[in-house]
Amino acid sequence: MPKVPIPRPGPIALAVAAALTLGVIPAIAAVSAYSAGEVSHNDAGHHTPGDAGTHTVTLITGDKVTIGTAADGTVVRSFQAASGATTGFHRAVVDGATYVYPDAALPYVSAGKLDKQLFNVTRLITEGYDDAHSSRLPLIVRYTGAAAKARTRTKMAGSTDVRRLDSIQGAALAQNHKQAPEFWSSLTGGSVAAARSVKPSFAGGVANVWLDGKVKADLADSTAQIGAQQVWAEGDTGQGVKVAMLDSGADTEHPDLVGQVSDSASFVPGEDDIADYNGHGTHVASTIAGTGSASDGKERGVASGARLAVGKVLNSEGSGQESWIIAGMEWAARDQKARKSA
């Protein structure tokens, strides 16, 4: 394996745990109403209470989608418009995931204003955002330049402000499922004409809306696989460098990490300290700057001479939301003066 140089003393290096499987702001792909694999429907449908293995999801528009398998093995798929009236929608199956796009949302998705993952019913169910498991839909919004500069921002009906995300000129919001129609009306200004225009836009100074998707920790490679020992042999251990590490926290009493954490902050609601109840953050922290004390030096980190600024952005289950990570990155860059490492 090639050598991996350890950052020289100077500005803080930012190590956003390499194992986090996310794109901070999800890419948005335009959706054609008649793209391959997509089927158009125009029935409202109804969900039958008591169906086994079925899930109902309230979309950002307030429309409800039910999908699953009934007790007798039949496939259950239904679409109930927020207004209760018959309306059109488009269904697509991409890589095994089912997307359901109400007609009212398609112009915004196609224009790159609205995240298509908000209509990935399979993902919403998997991440626990169906009606049976959550009363809210977490969102990330980005504001227009004018709205971002304003002292006050328009309050979107049916939503709760979670946190500001100044680095992306936005914020994290939580939409209430029961008030989804009111939220959608507030977001779009209640204008059908605006949605049908060549360049549809949102009201309230909102430029874009994304799903605040869940993220998971994964394992990282060991120091042996990146040739760190060869760098140490040349006398470079990262002495004088501070590394900002964003993960599930860290066990600061672990023998390998005693004295290695100089700054810390938690961005996980309900977990105010950086105690690592999952273990992944401690693993990553040790991989970066562990002293190897617990193993007589055998499990030494890549840069044992460095110090850590630990931002807790994953909960005790090793999961979190993208807005937590954005907030942690803002802290690392703004308060810890971190820079992106090479």
Side-chain angles (χ1 to χ4, degrees), residues 10 39 47-48 101 111 118 122 148 162 194 199 223 258 270 296 307 324 328:
V39 181
H47 167 51
T48 303
Y101 302 98
L118 288 163
T122 302
V162 178
K199 294 183 179 180
T223 56
V258 172
D296 294 326
R307 294 297 176 267
W324 304 356

Side-chain angles (χ1 to χ4, degrees), residues 37 65 83 102 131 134 176 178 225 269 307 315 323 334:
V65 176
S83 63
D131 292 3
S134 177
N176 187 312
K178 293 183 179 180
Q225 291 175 306
R307 294 297 176 267
N315 60 23
S323 59
R334 180 185 60 240

Side-chain angles (χ1 to χ4, degrees), residues 292-304:
S293 297
S295 60
D296 294 326
K298 293 180 180 179
E299 302 296 334
R300 179 182 173 186
V302 175
S304 59

Side-chain angles (χ1 to χ4, degrees), residues 24-152:
V24 174
I25 296 298
I28 301 177
V31 175
S32 167
Y34 302 101
S35 59
E38 191 162 62
V39 181
S40 177
H41 297 262
N42 282 295
D43 59 85
H46 296 283
H47 167 51
T48 303
D51 284 340
T54 63
H55 302 273
T56 297
V57 178
T58 298
L59 300 176
I60 188 174
T61 56
D63 304 307
K64 291 181 179 290
V65 176
T66 299
I67 188 170
T69 306
D72 61 1
T74 60
V75 175
V76 177
R77 294 195 189 99
S78 69
F79 179 91
Q80 183 175 356
S83 63
T86 299
T87 186
F89 67 95
H90 300 265
R91 182 174 65 87
V93 178
V94 181
D95 295 330
T98 296
Y99 293 73
V100 177
Y101 302 98
D103 283 355
L106 272 173
Y108 298 99
V109 177
S110 297
K113 301 287 185 180
L114 196 59
D115 184 10
K116 66 177 181 177
Q117 293 305 315
L118 288 163
F119 306 97
N120 184 342
V121 179
T122 302
R123 178 177 178 180
L124 293 173
I125 293 171
T126 300
E127 295 191 357
Y129 296 141
D130 59 301
D131 292 3
H133 296 92
S134 177
S135 61
R136 307 189 308 169
L137 178 66
L139 305 170
I140 294 176
V141 302
R142 182 156 56 199
Y143 298 102
T144 62
K149 293 177 182 177
R151 291 186 177 181
T152 58

Side-chain angles (χ1 to χ4, degrees), residues 14-26:
L14 171 61
V16 180
L20 294 179
T21 56
L22 81 155
V24 174
I25 296 298

Side-chain angles (χ1 to χ4, degrees), residues 171-332:
L173 306 179
Q175 179 205 48
N176 187 312
H177 281 324
K178 293 183 179 180
Q179 295 177 288
E182 290 87 344
F183 176 86
W184 181 251
S185 180
S186 179
L187 179 66
T188 60
S191 174
V192 176
R196 292 177 177 174
S197 65
V198 177
K199 294 183 179 180
S201 60
F202 292 129
V206 174
N208 303 89
V209 183
W210 295 276
L211 172 68
D212 189 357
K214 289 188 176 180
V215 294
K216 284 279 189 180
D218 200 355
L219 292 178
D221 294 335
S222 68
T223 56
Q225 291 175 306
I226 62 173
Q229 290 88 343
Q230 298 170 357
V231 180
W232 301 336
E234 297 173 359
D236 197 344
T237 64
Q239 188 71 35
V241 174
K242 183 190 288 186
V243 180
M245 189 278 292
L246 309 179
D247 205 286
S248 61
D251 178 4
T252 57
E253 296 183 1
H254 189 286
D256 286 2
L257 295 179
V258 172
Q260 297 298 85
V261 179
S262 61
D263 298 278
S264 63
S266 176
F267 302 92
V268 177
E271 296 185 21
D272 297 331
D273 57 43
I274 66 161
D276 183 14
Y277 302 107
N278 176 266
H280 187 269
T282 300
H283 161 75
V284 173
S286 297
T287 299
I288 296 170
T291 61
S293 297
S295 60
D296 294 326
K298 293 180 180 179
E299 302 296 334
R300 179 182 173 186
V302 175
S304 59
R307 294 297 176 267
L308 298 168
V310 175
K312 184 174 182 177
V313 297
L314 297 178
N315 60 23
S316 58
E317 297 178 352
S319 65
Q321 291 178 198
E322 292 169 351
S323 59
W324 304 356
I325 296 173
I326 294 172
M329 293 174 71
E330 289 181 347
W331 166 78

